[in-house]
């Protein structure tokens, strides 16, 4: 193991290199570009031997991954914002065809107005696309989650694509110390791709169309695989922890400061780091953090269990389902009748969520404030 | 059919469908070590309804506009797997000239070794005969209906072969199901371009969309070539070659009158349109001959 100070984007590139996908296809978009620039350098220097395709669009980048994965090799792409939106239909192709593609998403708002900074609009818009979505709090977590993502996606009980999401700029462009895992250990955790390879003597048809008699069964099977993936994500997290000494809660949900908490704030991504910092520095005892790492599959039971004895909770998120409210909050409201759930929508288009904002939110939660609060 | 080949049983195509004729002959040349990547289109719909398949080779369908990008991915993967085979992307005229043009251009520019075959039936047939940029001038479609203020389709066909050739793609050709030996020869040449892309534009007369009797498919394909409405040629390493000797071309009227989609052109007030089409065909011939 080596410890290096790396930009979040470069940490992801390092992890991808260790996973050794055979085909990488990508297209530049801020704030994702540093990932593929770093990969380009690795390929140019011969330290990463992959077929690297500089696609002419994200739609094609994802399609190239589709083709390569369908032919039987490991693939990678990364994107953000408009790029994810442009991929939209191919995302459904990939998940419906049960292809374990892994993509890093550097979260960024969707235009209009055009804005390059972070929020979760891009991936929340793909909430129902059949991709597993894992959100990361730090560069280290991003590094580790990429490696786990392949393990999860390629598990035959799952066979679904995975998005590893990091907050644009806040993680992608920030330098943090990152432990770079040992290549041999990564190989031990993640063996070579062993999925079905294209065989000319046993031809198969992939991407067939299905009428009303069969279509629903395909969706049922995908949903079942999503549910199965919960156990697989937990196993990947604990196996990873055994080998590398790092874990993130149980892989789906992580809790912090919950020992004597009467209230909790629920959020995702880099906001969790800020919450932990404040709770620690200000020695707050009555509020805990519930970090949702896996947005899809949604850890219903785990979240339900961690909130059941609390007086009240608040949900903070960088997205808005226009005409409804915070999408994450509404999922959590469905899990409880007892408690007041405060809804905080903030940080849209890269707006900073500051310590004083958190202190106000904590008060709102304590006072069981209902209704949507813009942060 | 008993005999296993690239494309066999259970296709639900219409009577007189030119595309299944084309594909069987293409796959006869390509052989079993072939991957077909198909865009959403008639061919895809008639051949791949779960739980059936008509494909005796590996087959992938993704979406309407990305056949060439998926094929690029397959090619890169086969390279990594050390498997030698043909990767053939097949799309309709819509999936090639219109919505698929960007992805196709990307594949050609990157030089990925795929053979792209455009099955041109002159319209969006799968969705019920809407015009595409491959619909011929004057033709009826459901979105280019002739009317008081319209003669039918009012734009000339997009010159896709030259657009592809402009990418310096080493083998580009037109073909027709009316001339099967020529089609097969061209597929062979295209697949011989082992490390580079190739492109074949196959004209496919569609009985339903063009409004002719399904028994006439081959006849009409031949007539298209004989009247110069469809010119068979190839551009091999930059050199243009007209495949069929010029001979004496028949007037386009003989072709136009065989199809209901041109019926309105024979009304007295539209007669000048037929002349316009004849002039266009003559000019096109001259231009290609000059470039030979
Ligand atoms: C993005 C997208 N837009 C529209 C469609 C609907 N659609 C499916 S096939 C098709 C027409 C196909 O036309 P063409 O490529 O010429 O093939 P053909 O069916 O004529 O063989 C259309 C418009 C689609 N599937 N995807
Ligand atoms: Mg068509």
């Amino acid at each position: 193991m080596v410890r290096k100070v790396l930009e979040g984007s470069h940490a992801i590139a390092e992890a991808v290199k260790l996973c050794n996908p055979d085909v990488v296809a990508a297209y530049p978009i801020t704030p994702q570009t540093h990932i593929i620039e770093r990969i380009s350098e690795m390929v140019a220097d011969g330290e990463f031997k992959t077929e690297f395709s500089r696609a002419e669009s994200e739609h094609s980048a994802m399609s190239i991954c589709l083709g390569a994965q369908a032919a039987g090799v490991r693939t990678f792409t990364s994107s953000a914002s408009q790029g994810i939106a442009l991929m939209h239909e191919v995302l459904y192709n990939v998940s419906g065809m049960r292809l374990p593609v892994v993509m890093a998403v550097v979260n960024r708002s969707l235009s209009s107005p055009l804005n390059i900074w972070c929020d979760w609009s891009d991936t929340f818009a793909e909430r129902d696309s059949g991709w597993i979505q894992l959100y990361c709090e730090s560069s280290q977590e991003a590094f580790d989650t990429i490696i786990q993502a392949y393990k999860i996606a390629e598990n035959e009980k799952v066979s679904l694509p995975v998005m590893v999401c990091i907050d644009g700029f806040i993680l992608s462009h920030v330098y943090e110390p990152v432990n770079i895992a040992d290549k041999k250990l990564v190989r031990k955790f993640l063996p070579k791709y062993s999925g079905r390879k294209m065989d000319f003597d046993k031809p198969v048809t992939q991407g067939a169309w299905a009428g009303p008699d069969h279509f629903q069964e395909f969706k049922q099977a995908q949903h079942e695989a999503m549910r199965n993936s919960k156990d697989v994500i937990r196993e990947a997290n604990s196996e990873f922890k055994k080998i590398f000494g790092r874990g993130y809660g149980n892989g789906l949900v992580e809790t912090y400061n919950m020992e004597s908490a009467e209230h909790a704030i629920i959020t995702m991504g880099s906001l969790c780091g800020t919450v932990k910092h404040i709770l620690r520095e200000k020695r707050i005892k009555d509020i805990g953090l519930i970090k949702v790492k896996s947005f899809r599959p949604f850890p219903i039971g785990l979240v339900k269990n961690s909130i059941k004895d609390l007086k009240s909770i608040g949900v903070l998120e960088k997205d808005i389902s226009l005409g409804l409210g915070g999408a994450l909050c509404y999922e959590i409201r469905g899990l409880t009748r007892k408690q007041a759930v405060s809804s905080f929508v903030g940080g849209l288009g890269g707006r900073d969520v500051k310590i004083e904002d958190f202190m106000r939110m904590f008060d709102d939660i304590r006072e069981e404030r209902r209704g949507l609060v813009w942060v | 059919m008993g005999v296993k080949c690239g494309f066999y049983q259970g296709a639900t195509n219409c009577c007189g469908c030119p595309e299944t004729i084309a594909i069987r002959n293409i796959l006869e040349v390509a052989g079993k070590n072939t991957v077909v990547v198909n865009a959403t289109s008639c061919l895809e719909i008639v051949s791949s309804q779960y739980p059936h398949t008509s494909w005796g080779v590996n087959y992938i369908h993704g979406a309407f506009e990305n056949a060439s990008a998926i094929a690029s991915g397959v090619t890169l993967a086969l390279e990594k797997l050390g498997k030698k085979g043909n990767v053939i992307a097949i799309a309709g005229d819509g999936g090639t000239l219109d919505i698929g043009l960007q992805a196709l251009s990307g594949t050609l520019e990157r030089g990925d070794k795929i053979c792209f075959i455009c099955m041109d039936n002159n319209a969006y047939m799968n969705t019920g005969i809407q015009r595409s940029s491959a619909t011929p001038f004057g033709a009826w479609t459901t979105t280019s209906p002739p009317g008081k203020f319209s003669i039918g389709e009012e734009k000339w066909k997009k010159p896709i072969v030259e657009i592809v050739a402009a990418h310096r793609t080493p083998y580009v050709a037109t073909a027709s199901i009316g001339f099967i030996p020529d089609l097969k020869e061209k597929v062979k040449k295209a697949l011989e371009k082992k490390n580079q892309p190739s492109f074949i534009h196959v004209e496919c007369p569609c009985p339903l969309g063009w409004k002719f009797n399904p028994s006439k498919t081959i006849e009409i394909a031949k007539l298209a070539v004989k009247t110069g409405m469809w010119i068979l040629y190839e551009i091999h390493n930059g050199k243009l070659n007209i495949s069929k000797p010029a001979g004496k071309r028949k007037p386009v009227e003989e072709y136009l009158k065989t199809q209901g989609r041109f019926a309105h052109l024979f009304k007295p007030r539209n007669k000048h349109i037929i002349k316009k089409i004849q002039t266009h065909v003559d000019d096109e011939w001259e231009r290609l001959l000059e470039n030979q």
Side-chain angles (χ1 to χ4, degrees):
Chain A
M1 187 195 79
V2 244
R3 194 165 164 80
K4 279 189 192 165
V5 177
L6 284 183
E7 200 189 65
S9 299
H10 294 174
I12 286 183
E14 291 290 337
V16 172
K17 185 180 82 180
L18 285 166
C19 296
N20 204 23
D22 300 286
V23 173
V24 175
Y27 192 82
I29 184 169
T30 306
Q32 163 269 168
T33 316
H34 289 187
I35 298 176
I36 59 162
E37 285 176 350
R38 185 69 197 99
I39 288 176
S40 304
E41 289 166 0
M42 291 167 162
V43 171
D45 290 339
E47 59 178 280
F48 181 10
K49 293 198 168 34
T50 186
E51 290 286 342
F52 180 36
S53 184
R54 288 90 168 163
E56 88 299 330
S57 71
E58 291 87 349
H59 195 284
S60 285
M62 185 50 73
S63 303
I64 290 167
C65 289
L66 184 163
Q69 195 80 52
V73 302
R74 190 174 278 166
T75 63
F76 176 79
T77 186
S78 66
S79 190
S81 184
Q82 312 302 123
I84 303 293
L86 189 62
M87 284 177 186
H88 178 69
E89 68 166 350
V90 195
L91 296 180
Y92 278 74
N93 292 164
V94 166
S95 63
M97 291 167 79
R98 307 296 295 275
L99 300 173
V101 174
V102 170
M103 168 161 69
V105 182
V106 183
N107 284 107
R108 165 183 155 183
S109 64
L110 284 172
S111 180
S112 189
L114 189 123
N115 169 292
I116 57 166
W117 290 277
C118 174
D119 66 38
W120 306 331
S121 312
D122 49 3
T123 43
F124 270 49
E126 306 303 339
R127 185 189 67 179
D128 301 332
S129 64
W131 282 63
I132 290 172
Q133 291 192 355
L134 305 174
Y135 290 75
C136 304
E137 176 188 331
S138 64
S139 298
Q140 183 71 62
E141 185 172 354
F143 178 93
D144 295 346
T145 306
I146 289 280
I147 298 169
Q148 292 179 32
Y150 282 103
K151 180 106 173 165
I152 297 160
E154 293 169 8
N155 185 300
E156 56 185 26
K157 281 186 275 182
V158 179
S159 212
L160 289 173
V162 180
M163 290 181 196
V164 177
C165 308
I166 64 165
D167 286 342
F169 293 107
I170 300 167
L171 285 186
S172 62
H173 288 57
V174 163
Y175 281 76
E176 291 183 333
V178 178
N179 292 325
I180 306 291
D182 195 66
K183 196 171 169 180
K184 272 206 198 104
L185 291 180
V186 173
R187 213 24 91 247
K188 189 176 154 205
F189 176 79
L190 179 74
K192 277 195 175 147
Y193 184 68
S194 61
R196 193 181 48 79
K197 291 181 178 49
M198 199 166 258
D199 183 345
F200 293 129
D201 294 321
K202 293 194 192 90
V204 290
T205 288
Q206 299 184 72
W209 66 276
D213 289 351
H214 298 102
F215 184 87
Q216 196 160 303
E217 276 66 26
F218 278 91
K219 294 300 130 181
Q220 265 176 278
Q222 276 176 266
H223 184 58
E224 202 50 44
M226 270 282 179
R227 289 164 54 125
N228 294 342
S229 76
K230 290 186 196 178
D231 284 340
V232 176
I233 293 169
R234 291 165 83 137
E235 284 158 22
N237 181 66
S238 57
E239 193 187 333
F240 192 90
K241 196 169 176 181
K242 248 185 241 150
I243 299 178
F244 301 98
R246 294 183 300 274
Y248 302 91
N250 62 14
L252 295 157
V253 170
E254 184 184 339
T255 56
Y256 181 83
N257 205 40
M258 291 294 286
E259 297 71 26
S260 56
E262 296 178 342
H263 319 273
I265 184 161
I266 302 179
T267 191
M268 309 199 306
S270 67
L271 289 168
C272 298
T274 318
V275 175
K276 285 179 185 171
H277 171 83
I278 299 169
L279 295 177
R280 194 168 50 233
E281 290 298 305
K282 306 223 179 253
R283 296 163 200 257
I284 296 170
K285 291 283 168 244
D286 65 330
I287 291 188
L289 165 71
I290 299 169
K291 161 177 153 182
V292 176
K293 177 173 166 85
S294 172
F295 183 51
R296 283 294 177 276
F298 196 74
I300 301 172
L302 288 167
V303 174
K304 229 177 182 168
N305 210 36
S306 28
I307 62 177
K308 71 176 191 304
D309 298 324
L310 300 173
K311 283 190 182 147
S312 62
I313 49 181
V315 180
L316 168 62
E317 57 198 303
K318 298 191 193 190
D319 64 274
I320 176 88
S321 176
L322 300 166
L324 176 71
L328 179 62
C329 179
Y330 273 86
E331 310 213 321
I332 287 168
R333 280 205 175 130
L335 304 180
T336 173
R337 291 240 174 85
K338 280 200 318 222
Q339 297 114 321
V341 183
S342 310
S343 177
F344 306 107
V345 168
L348 299 190
R351 181 162 303 181
D352 228 0
V353 186
K354 302 197 179 77
I355 294 180
E356 5 0 326
D357 298 321
F358 280 100
M359 298 312 281
R360 256 196 310 273
M361 285 188 265
F362 293 163
D363 283 341
D364 284 340
I365 296 170
R366 291 182 184 109
E367 287 159 19
E368 305 192 4
R369 178 169 177 173
R370 289 165 199 258
L372 173 63
V373 179
W374 290 86
V375 180
Chain B
M1 289 204 45
V3 186
K4 199 170 152 100
C5 63
F7 187 89
Y8 52 122
Q9 63 212 357
T12 57
N13 52 282
C14 309
C15 199
C17 176
E19 302 206 356
T20 45
I21 299 173
I23 194 65
R24 292 173 59 142
N25 284 288
I26 290 164
L27 289 180
E28 231 179 87
V29 179
K32 80 171 177 53
N33 292 1
T34 296
V35 186
V36 169
V37 180
N38 199 183
T40 311
S41 58
C42 279
L43 182 63
E44 173 253 332
I45 293 297
V46 305
S47 65
S48 66
Q49 180 177 10
Y50 181 85
H52 308 288
T53 184
S54 303
W55 297 90
V57 293
N58 282 293
Y59 173 88
I60 302 172
H61 163 253
F64 185 16
E65 64 281 65
N66 61 357
S68 69
I70 295 176
S72 283
V74 172
T75 273
L76 297 177
L78 291 183
E79 183 82 15
K80 271 283 181 183
L81 292 171
K83 285 185 193 266
K84 298 240 173 295
N86 302 310
V87 181
I88 301 181
I90 302 177
D93 44 298
T96 306
L97 284 73
D98 292 339
I99 204 165
L101 185 58
Q102 175 181 322
L104 171 59
S105 176
T107 295
L108 297 174
E109 175 273 325
R110 292 189 300 270
D112 295 333
K113 52 173 176 178
I114 73 155
C115 173
F116 192 105
I117 297 182
C118 170
M119 298 278 199
D120 183 357
N121 52 22
N122 293 189
Y124 299 151
M125 294 309 179
N126 185 40
T127 38
I129 325 170
Q130 293 83 30
R131 66 85 66 180
S132 75
S133 62
T135 301
F137 189 85
W140 162 92
T141 71
T142 57
T143 54
S144 63
K148 221 164 155 188
F149 296 99
S150 169
I151 52 112
E153 175 57 34
E154 283 166 341
K155 304 274 184 285
W156 298 102
K157 209 173 159 97
K158 188 188 278 187
I160 187 67
V161 173
E162 285 153 275
I163 292 170
V164 171
H167 289 74
R168 307 286 186 267
T169 301
Y171 189 78
V172 184
T174 64
S176 161
I177 54 133
F179 297 84
I180 294 290
D182 177 70
L183 166 69
K184 285 175 127 173
E185 184 59 30
K186 284 169 173 167
V187 173
K188 190 163 162 269
K189 282 187 188 168
L191 294 177
E192 275 164 7
K193 292 282 161 206
K194 281 277 182 244
N195 293 308
Q196 286 162 301
S198 53
F199 179 87
I200 304 179
H201 191 183
V202 187
E203 201 197 40
C204 295
C206 165
L208 206 69
W210 299 13
K211 298 190 178 175
F212 63 80
N213 186 301
S215 65
K216 304 274 188 231
T217 305
I218 300 285
E219 206 172 292
I220 287 183
K222 287 196 159 127
L223 203 50
V225 174
K226 285 179 183 155
T227 54
M229 287 292 292
W230 187 248
I231 305 174
L232 296 180
Y233 66 103
E234 61 183 12
I235 304 174
H236 200 164
N237 295 327
K239 194 170 162 7
L240 192 149
N241 229 321
I242 297 187
S243 319
K244 280 276 136 192
K248 188 148 168 49
R249 257 182 301 123
K250 293 186 173 181
V252 294
E253 199 171 328
E254 283 193 29
Y255 173 78
L256 300 174
K257 73 178 183 207
T258 59
Q259 300 156 52
R261 62 174 174 162
F262 295 118
H264 58 283
L265 299 185
F266 291 87
K267 287 188 180 148
R269 71 180 157 99
N270 282 336
K271 279 280 186 193
H272 67 288
I273 301 295
I274 295 181
K275 227 170 130 194
K276 208 167 162 176
I277 295 171
Q278 185 65 62
T279 311
H280 187 81
V281 166
D282 294 345
D283 291 351
E284 197 58 18
W285 259 103
E286 284 311 310
R287 205 174 56 81
L288 286 180
L289 280 175
E290 271 169 31
N291 286 328
Q292 225 181 185

